[in-house]
Amino acid sequence: NFNKKKYLLIPLILAAILSLSVLFSSKWPLSWDIYTHINYAITYINYGITTVDPYLNAPNGKEIGYVPLFHILLIVISSITNTSLIDTARIIQTITPVIITSIIVYVTYKMYDEVAAIVAGILLVSSFMFTRLLLPIPETIALIVFIIGVYLFYQSTIDNKMIYAFISGFLTLPLMGIHFSSCVYYVLMIAQCIIQGKLVGLKSYGVFLLALIIVGLCGVFALITYSPSHLSQFITGFNSVLNDPLSLFMGQKAMGLERYIKCVGLLPLVCGFIGLCLSFRNREVLFVSAWTLIAFIFSNMHWFGIPVYTFRMLIYLIIPLVILGGYGVSKIYGYLINTNKKQQGVILIL
């Protein structure tokens, strides 16, 4: 019987091999972003939580445009492991891809079955976008919280357990503290459940919003108590976004169709399309199908005149796409197994 849980380790092993190969091939962490974040972490070590980095743009310093939780995480891990911030970043870039792959495999397994989970993990590793998971940056860490939060919300609509929806809403707090853009996208993704037209979905969304409001109020209270100046900066920034929402997207670059396909990967796109077609007759996949379609639209907002940075948005597309692709392959595999056992080898090779 192919459906054995031990095969779920296959994509995890592949992800670990790729991560370790990067670790041993270079003594420096990937991406130039991480060096900026390390500099911010050093600033927090020497000056505490501040909004200005005195080490850059002397003599006035440079305003820190990132929320601080990722940098605090760097400092904590560095202290626990007794390593430099550079080596801490290398640890993060080695562990994070395996963790995200494990979560996607687990989520797909709980949603569907072992075959879907294995295929989803392999599709993720096969995509060029997997290389973005190797970057030790706030967005990568935020993806862990992002996937868990969306899955918990999905479970609340299935099991009618509102505690899952509440936890999902509460996760906006660490998500906002790690990567603000991911938090905004997370709230928008959760909202897509309404299109399912299920009363339980609306109820879960109401609980999610309740937790979101509580988190927001706690954040405002904390700012008023400990740092009124930060609250003033937050209100100013929020008002500027309300007055000119498109300012968030200024300077972003679209992507041509050929590069779009190469980055996502032909295999994930084909399998995802198969899963999407099969989902029209299986409402249990509607949540992931809607998630995939909305992520696809967001990654192509330049069609509507909004110049989003397509490459960065693709990481949010690949996650539901590989889950949907795993579902599609699982359905085809089950059909072939039940109709003609000689096709087992063919479908496994594919």
Side-chain angles (χ1 to χ4, degrees):
N1 182 14
F2 179 69
N3 294 327
K4 292 185 178 179
K5 294 181 181 180
K6 63 182 180 181
Y7 291 102
L8 296 173
L9 294 175
I10 293 176
L12 276 60
I13 293 173
L14 293 175
I17 291 173
L18 291 175
S19 299
L20 289 172
S21 66
V22 172
L23 176 68
F24 293 124
S25 63
S26 174
K27 63 179 181 180
W28 303 102
L30 299 179
S31 98
W32 62 266
D33 281 7
I34 185 59
Y35 299 99
T36 300
H37 293 299
I38 288 174
N39 196 79
Y40 290 159
I42 294 173
T43 298
Y44 291 146
I45 291 173
N46 295 326
Y47 294 93
I49 302 298
T50 177
T51 58
V52 177
D53 184 353
Y55 298 120
L56 299 176
N57 295 352
N60 297 324
K62 179 183 178 181
E63 184 175 344
I64 298 176
Y66 292 89
V67 282
L69 192 54
F70 176 77
H71 313 101
I72 295 173
L73 182 65
L74 273 176
I75 296 170
V76 170
I77 295 177
S78 176
S79 300
I80 294 174
T81 58
N82 196 28
T83 57
S84 67
L85 292 173
I86 292 287
D87 287 334
T88 299
R90 295 177 68 222
I91 293 173
I92 291 176
Q93 79 178 20
T94 304
I95 296 176
T96 304
V98 180
I99 294 176
I100 293 177
T101 304
S102 303
I103 294 173
I104 289 178
V105 168
Y106 175 80
V107 166
T108 310
Y109 168 69
K110 296 298 288 185
M111 283 182 169
Y112 310 121
D113 55 34
E114 293 95 333
V115 176
I118 296 167
V119 173
I122 293 175
L123 289 177
L124 175 67
V125 175
S126 72
S127 173
F128 178 77
M129 295 310 299
F130 180 81
T131 60
R132 190 159 181 85
L133 302 182
L134 293 166
L135 306 183
I137 55 178
E139 184 182 40
T140 309
I141 301 298
L143 279 173
I144 297 175
V145 183
F146 185 98
I147 301 170
I148 294 174
V150 173
Y151 173 68
L152 286 174
F153 185 83
Y154 166 80
Q155 281 298 115
S156 74
T157 64
I158 298 300
D159 300 337
N160 197 22
K161 293 182 178 180
M162 294 304 104
I163 184 62
Y164 291 152
F166 187 83
I167 295 174
S168 178
F170 188 78
L171 286 178
T172 56
L173 182 59
L175 198 56
M176 186 181 298
I178 298 171
H179 194 248
F180 183 76
S181 298
S182 296
C183 181
V184 173
Y185 188 62
Y186 173 70
V187 175
L188 293 175
M189 280 293 97
I190 294 295
Q192 61 89 15
C193 78
I194 296 178
I195 71 171
Q196 296 181 86
K198 292 183 179 180
L199 208 56
V200 64
L202 294 173
K203 183 179 178 182
S204 296
Y205 190 62
V207 175
F208 172 85
L209 288 178
L210 175 63
L212 186 61
I213 292 171
I214 293 174
V215 167
L217 291 175
C218 291
V220 170
F221 179 77
L223 286 174
I224 293 174
T225 305
Y226 298 104
S227 184
S229 61
H230 288 176
L231 177 62
S232 176
Q233 292 177 2
F234 176 81
I235 293 175
T236 302
F238 184 75
N239 288 335
S240 66
V241 172
L242 287 181
N243 294 328
D244 186 15
L246 292 182
S247 63
L248 289 172
F249 306 101
M250 295 307 294
Q252 304 299 331
K253 297 181 180 179
M255 181 184 293
L257 178 62
E258 182 180 358
R259 188 178 175 218
Y260 190 98
I261 294 174
K262 286 182 178 179
C263 287
V264 177
L266 188 59
L267 193 59
L269 282 171
V270 171
C271 294
F273 180 75
I274 293 172
L276 180 65
C277 293
L278 293 175
S279 71
F280 293 146
R281 295 185 298 175
N282 299 276
R283 290 187 60 84
E284 72 271 15
V285 204
L286 185 58
F287 184 93
V288 179
S289 300
W291 180 8
T292 306
L293 288 174
I294 292 175
F296 176 76
I297 292 173
F298 266 92
S299 66
N300 290 284
M301 288 296 285
H302 56 275
W303 293 347
F304 308 100
I306 301 176
V308 297
Y309 192 0
T310 304
F311 181 72
R312 292 188 65 177
M313 295 301 297
L314 289 183
I315 193 64
Y316 298 100
L317 170 64
I318 195 65
I319 294 169
L321 185 67
V322 298
I323 295 175
L324 196 59
Y327 167 80
V329 173
S330 176
K331 284 294 183 181
I332 294 176
Y333 176 80
Y335 173 77
L336 293 176
I337 288 297
N338 294 328
T339 56
N340 188 345
K341 292 186 179 298
K342 293 182 180 180
Q343 300 294 329
Q344 285 190 43
V346 176
I347 192 65
L348 285 174
I349 292 174
L350 293 176

